[in-house]
Amino acid sequence: MLGTFGVWGSHYEWAGKIGEIAELEALGYGAFWIGASPDIALVEQALAATTSMTIATGITNVWQTEPEAISAEFHRLASDRFLLGVGAGHRQLDQAYEKPYEKLVSYLDRLDVPADRLVLAALGPKVLKLAADRTAGAHPYLVPVEHTAEARKAVGDKLLAPEVTVVVEEDPVVARAIAREQLAVYFTLTNYVKNWRRYGFSEEDVQGSDRLLDALVAHGSPDQVAAKLQAHVDAGADHVAVQSLNGHYAELAGALGLRR
């Protein structure tokens, strides 16, 4: 349904690039994940522009979208290529953010979407277990390969589809600068910082150190990036959603051995 590799992109960036999503399908990417709680209209447009690619939300924010409304849209679209990803967002960005685990549980209770067409944004052990128990699997974001290995154990045989950020740039100083600038907001978000601390990153690291960036962001030549993406597959990922901060998806498709 998803293939081994797909593309992740914020709806802010891709709303006017539906034709480019179709080009990604032609390159062999199996899925396109529309991030940042996208309007369902963009999902519909992407489905119309593609023929075999899965279109997923990565993620629909449970604080911004009522479960009854998204359930109705899911059934209206009636597409077996639509995968609904939901998640609890960020404490600093969502004013209503409180007791996220309980919110996720109540949201799933009210959601009328088949479990096999649903994935949950999950970082910590509790939410990974919820994803395994109540949905098709988990869609972690901005995680080191060690997280992928542990998440595989947590979700068992359920789908594991991490997003992996990449920069196709052979100069590591330049690559880290691109990543540090574009990922700056995440260094302030409690859920991500807490997750990185689980893997031994210090207070200094989680502010955007080279060590953290090298663990989170696959950078280098297309072949080097492809090898780092494959490391997540080797660690247990069924599918990797690739978010390139500087494009080069065609070159990556070649390095990953995707069909054209």
Side-chain angles (χ1 to χ4, degrees), residues 108-207:
L108 293 175
D109 288 343
R110 295 164 56 194
L111 193 64
D112 179 23
V113 173
D116 64 354
R117 306 288 297 286
L118 177 66
V119 294
L120 196 62
L123 292 176
K126 194 173 182 180
V127 182
L128 283 166
K129 185 177 186 305
L130 181 64
D133 290 344
R134 298 287 302 271
T135 77
H139 176 50
Y141 186 92
L142 206 57
V143 293
V145 69
E146 292 82 4
H147 182 277
T148 296
E150 289 196 13
R152 168 48 64 204
K153 297 175 184 177
V155 302
D157 62 358
K158 292 295 185 77
L159 174 71
L160 179 58
E163 174 273 350
V164 179
T165 302
V166 312
V167 178
V168 182
E169 168 56 60
E170 294 190 48
D171 185 332
V173 175
V174 174
R176 292 180 190 121
I178 292 170
R180 186 173 286 111
E181 178 181 5
Q182 296 196 42
L183 299 179
V185 65
Y186 294 99
F187 307 144
T188 70
L189 299 179
T190 304
N191 51 344
Y192 289 103
V193 169
K194 182 179 179 181
N195 188 56
W196 301 331
R197 293 297 297 270
R198 289 190 185 104
Y199 293 91
F201 291 100
S202 68
E203 189 62 38
E204 181 180 354
D205 284 328
V206 298
Q207 296 174 39

Side-chain angles (χ1 to χ4, degrees), residues 30-46:
F32 189 85
W33 297 77
I34 306 175
S37 205
D39 190 306
I40 204 69
L42 184 56
V43 172
E44 190 168 11
Q45 292 165 14

